[in-house]
Amino acid sequence: MSKQDLKQNVFNYMPMTINDYFGYIQDNNVNSSPIWQRDNVQSTDKGGATPSKAQGIVQSIFEGLDIGEISIAGNKDAAKEVLEGGHRTRKAILDFLNNEFPLHKSSMFGEKFFSDLPSHAKEYYRNYNVRIIDFY
């Protein structure tokens, strides 16, 4: 193998808000559920004793904690796919935004769906910064 055969990975680091990220997914036809992804994280058992994984991710957002980066890959000839972070994207961040499960009862807002949150909490959530790595 020659030096010319070796290729360095190329990527864009794109910090963006949750709102911007979901616009990016739609505008770029990013597949957040490729067939090789493992099963979804547990969304919720309303009223459960402990938070589900999805509820824990959303609570981490409200606590200002890092939820890790989301990696996307594709090339000029193929559609982009979420490589890492698909479950955070699909089953936690987006499903909560779409009122598919409430926060856990132990959260700072109690057991509320996104639509039931005060306006300042909704704005905070939509504007939470996520780290996106887009490989191409």
Side-chain angles (χ1 to χ4, degrees):
M1 179 174 282
S2 71
K3 185 176 181 178
Q4 290 81 12
D5 294 329
L6 300 173
K7 301 206 186 294
Q8 189 62 261
N9 62 341
V10 181
F11 61 90
N12 285 328
Y13 169 70
M14 305 182 308
M16 58 181 73
T17 66
I18 287 175
N19 260 2
D20 292 339
Y21 174 58
F22 285 106
Y24 178 82
I25 284 177
Q26 291 174 344
D27 293 346
N28 292 283
N29 296 318
V30 176
N31 180 2
S32 64
S33 303
I35 59 171
W36 47 266
Q37 282 261 354
R38 61 183 163 80
D39 291 335
N40 290 331
V41 298
Q42 172 195 5
S43 288
T44 184
D45 290 324
K46 188 172 180 185
T50 59
S52 69
K53 288 182 180 181
Q55 287 172 318
I57 291 166
V58 173
Q59 186 58 35
S60 292
I61 289 171
F62 281 115
E63 292 173 1
L65 301 174
D66 179 35
I67 62 166
E69 65 188 31
I70 298 170
S71 298
I72 299 171
N75 61 44
K76 295 174 188 163
D77 302 322
K80 292 181 178 268
E81 295 181 332
V82 175
L83 294 180
E84 172 61 31
H87 295 102
R88 279 172 276 159
T89 298
R90 188 175 63 257
K91 288 309 292 177
I93 300 171
L94 183 59
D95 284 0
F96 178 69
L97 194 59
N98 289 328
N99 294 303
E100 294 186 28
F101 67 90
L103 289 167
H104 188 260
K105 60 188 174 187
S106 65
S107 78
M108 63 181 71
F109 297 107
E111 194 169 32
K112 292 191 177 189
F113 286 87
F114 181 80
S115 62
D116 299 326
L117 292 173
S119 59
H120 71 276
K122 291 178 189 175
E123 182 179 346
Y124 173 88
Y125 188 81
R126 288 185 185 112
N127 290 304
Y128 176 82
N129 292 312
V130 291
R131 294 186 327 258
I132 311 301
I133 307 295
D134 188 358
F135 292 90
Y136 56 93

